[in-house]
Amino acid sequence: MSGVRSRMRLTVIGIGYLGLTHAVCMADLGHEVLAIDVDHDKIAKAAQGEVPFFEPGLEPLLRKNLETGRLHFTTSYAEVAEFGDVHFLCVGTPEAADGTADLQYVNAAADALAPHLATRCLVVGKSTVPAGTARGLLERIRAGAPAGDQVDLAWNPEFLREGHAVQDTLRPDRFVFGVTSDWAEGLLSEVYDQPLAAGIPGLVMNLETAELVKVSANAFLATKISFINAMADTCEAVGADVVQLAEALAHDERIGGRSLVPGLGFGGGCLPKDIHAFRATAMSLGLTSVVSLLSDVDAINQGRRAQVADMARAAVGGTLAGKRVAVLGAAFKPNSDDVRDSPSLDVCERLTRQGAIVSVHDPMALPNAARVKPALRYAQSVSEAAEGAELVLHLTEWADYRAIDPFALAKVVTQPILIDARCVLDAGLWRSAGWSVRVLGRR
Ligand SMILES: NC(=O)c1ccc[n+]([C@@H]2O[C@H](COP(=O)([O-])OP(=O)(O)OC[C@H]3O[C@@H](n4cnc5c(N)ncnc54)[C@H](O)[C@@H]3O)[C@@H](O)[C@H]2O)c1
């Protein structure tokens, strides 16, 4: 981007999906950026211009900003503290065994940074955390930092979607600034001065509200998905069509069409664990109605996976033992190679537990899928996956799959049976090619 009005020195801690995208985009806004990670291999790759995951548009932007000399990588916290006075905390907050958010990486990063903070600075949390985390973290950092109360902390939660991460970072729907001082608000406004000047709203609030905006946004999106999936079940029961229903609902501006997408439900590294963490927080606060709402949303979502496995068993005559099943899609969503809590891989697991021989195709996620589910078979093409299959399952809605020629595919399978668990394939076309087609939410 050109026309930079203020160039700041920023650091980014943790270069996963969120952190690497943030570091690259902040450099693209014209800031000097130094990024750190405990994973030395990731740092070495990023410094060479390599993005260790698939995200459209990110790698060229990384290379461009390495060439400008504005973006640097390190493994030294001393260098990070020395380099900048705004430090973005972007480490993971995965789900702990008891369903709470595991804050060990946030705490470890804070503990590694704090002893090097000798002058006034601002730590900005971007990770998704339960409300109340930031205030405790501020005390923790101040207690460990030579600069003590000179260190301030803000929460600036991230709303990016994998597959659209660059655009979502540079042009989000809004910025949320959880702050305890005008100074912190001023610094954040300076960091994002260009998008703010372009009219993107910047909303200022206290730390707890900012943390909760992110958690409740994810809870709402998950609720919307589970709601339309509950309607999908209703459609099947009464002979209605959930795709037409969703389209008609979406025209109502109070409802809107985004995330009103029926199918196999949500997965990935964010929505499921954030729902579980929110439920755990609600439970500890005695908020029983919140607990029951989130439990229902989660149960509906999990139920979709079981339902597809049941449909698969019924489609091949009541037993999956020894049946060859081709699965289209392994990533938790299209345009990503992320397989964290992938609904597709969950269904694959359910099928193999019942004795099916599952062959999985995905345009981007096969290496990651093979790492977490080494026992599945992986195919480099759709026709290789479908060779000799008695059933084809469409589980991740990559655009490539909408371009499949069902006439050609019918020639390589043993039985032309398709289950479309994402409700986007042209069922009429597949039927005209001789396929027996089942679509979730359509009788
Ligand atoms: N992925 C998304 O789409 C997305 C969107 C919005 C918010 N978030 C939130 O952002 C946070 C990060 O998510 P992610 O998907 O980028 O996770 P990730 O697992 O891809 O990345 C986390 C990174 O932090 C690094 N790390 C761990 N401990 C560290 C330490 N002490 N110092 C430096 N680096 C350390 C890890 O090595 C890893 O590279 C989570 O809280 C997540 O909920 C993610």
Side-chain angles (χ1 to χ4, degrees):
M1 282 203 171
S2 54
V4 176
R5 288 186 296 169
S6 61
R7 173 180 282 205
M8 300 170 78
R9 289 169 71 83
L10 315 175
T11 81
V12 173
I13 300 168
I15 58 159
Y17 285 90
L18 161 58
L20 186 56
T21 309
H22 190 67
V24 168
C25 290
M26 291 306 101
D28 205 53
L29 287 178
H31 300 302
E32 297 282 338
V33 179
L34 177 65
I36 185 171
D37 202 289
V38 286
D39 185 332
H40 290 209
D41 192 42
K42 256 188 200 176
I43 287 292
K45 282 192 171 133
Q48 294 300 314
E50 234 181 275
V51 173
F53 49 86
F54 175 68
E55 181 58 45
L58 186 57
E59 198 158 278
L61 209 60
L62 166 64
R63 295 202 169 148
K64 174 187 153 197
N65 283 285
L66 283 171
E67 274 166 27
T68 64
R70 285 197 298 267
L71 179 58
H72 308 272
F73 294 90
T74 184
T75 53
S76 158
Y77 268 100
E79 267 183 45
V80 163
E82 173 74 18
F83 181 90
D85 41 22
V86 180
H87 307 288
F88 285 97
L89 203 50
C90 299
V91 299
T93 50
E95 182 171 348
D98 62 358
T100 58
D102 183 350
L103 297 174
Q104 64 165 308
Y105 303 103
V106 171
N107 289 333
D111 292 347
L113 177 66
H116 301 286
L117 299 178
T119 53
R120 191 175 194 200
C121 64
L122 179 67
V123 177
V124 183
K126 290 197 76 65
S127 304
T128 305
V129 294
T133 305
R135 216 164 278 278
L137 203 62
L138 175 57
E139 293 314 309
R140 190 176 180 119
I141 295 173
R142 281 181 172 169
D149 288 356
Q150 295 255 80
V151 180
D152 201 352
L153 181 130
W155 217 262
N156 167 220
E158 180 57 58
F159 300 93
L160 70 81
R161 298 159 300 161
E162 288 175 24
H164 306 266
V166 170
Q167 171 204 336
D168 286 353
T169 303
L170 291 170
R171 290 281 177 269
D173 293 335
R174 74 306 206 186
F175 291 104
V176 168
F177 301 151
V179 294
T180 63
S181 68
D182 292 344
W183 181 68
E185 182 189 337
L187 277 182
L188 284 169
S189 304
E190 222 181 304
V191 169
Y192 298 115
D193 65 350
Q194 287 183 59
L196 287 169
I200 292 169
L203 309 169
V204 182
M205 56 198 73
N206 70 12
L207 293 174
E208 291 76 12
T209 312
E211 292 166 307
L212 195 56
V213 170
K214 172 65 188 177
V215 171
S216 55
N218 275 1
F220 186 78
L221 294 173
T223 303
K224 222 172 159 185
I225 296 168
S226 282
F227 173 83
I228 197 65
N229 282 333
M231 293 308 107
D233 282 347
T234 313
C235 285
E236 286 200 39
V238 303
D241 182 317
V242 73
V243 176
Q244 292 172 354
L245 178 91
E247 192 189 340
L249 288 175
H251 281 282
D252 188 327
E253 281 178 9
R254 295 167 303 172
I255 298 173
R258 289 172 75 180
S259 292
L260 201 70
V261 183
L264 184 50
F266 58 83
C270 290
L271 282 194
K273 60 113 177 150
D274 291 345
I275 296 305
H276 297 158
F278 191 8
R279 184 174 53 188
T281 306
M283 222 177 274
S284 71
L285 294 169
L287 302 170
T288 50
S289 57
V290 180
V291 173
S292 93
L293 170 71
L294 297 173
S295 296
D296 287 345
V297 167
D298 192 41
I300 292 169
N301 194 53
Q302 288 297 324
R304 305 305 281 169
R305 303 170 182 196
Q307 215 167 325
V308 171
D310 290 348
M311 277 171 82
R313 192 177 54 244
V316 293
T319 175
L320 282 159
K323 297 283 165 57
R324 300 178 74 89
V325 180
V327 165
L328 305 182
F332 87 94
K333 62 185 279 191
N335 296 320
S336 170
D337 64 354
D338 194 345
V339 298
R340 290 179 288 183
D341 199 356
S342 159
S344 164
L345 292 183
D346 186 328
V347 170
C348 291
E349 178 103 1
R350 290 167 194 264
L351 302 181
T352 48
R353 273 206 301 268
Q354 297 179 58
I357 302 155
V358 178
S359 185
V360 186
H361 174 263
D362 191 283
M364 285 293 166
L366 289 190
N368 285 344
R371 251 192 305 279
V372 297
K373 300 276 184 213
L376 295 172
R377 296 179 181 198
Y378 294 100
Q380 297 306 319
S381 68
V382 170
S383 56
E384 185 191 330
E387 187 78 48
E390 288 144 277
L391 174 64
V392 175
L393 293 183
H394 176 240
L395 301 186
T396 308
E397 67 275 34
W398 285 94
D400 307 26
Y401 297 147
R402 289 199 281 282
I404 290 173
D405 175 358
F407 292 90
L409 203 66
K411 295 195 179 103
V412 306
V413 297
T414 306
Q415 276 190 131
I417 305 177
L418 170 77
I419 293 177
D420 180 9
R422 292 296 182 180
C423 316
V424 294
L425 297 181
D426 183 343
L429 178 69
W430 282 70
R431 286 192 181 110
S432 69
W435 290 77
S436 154
V437 180
R438 280 289 324 264
V439 182
L440 269 188
R442 281 175 158 172
R443 210 185 254 172

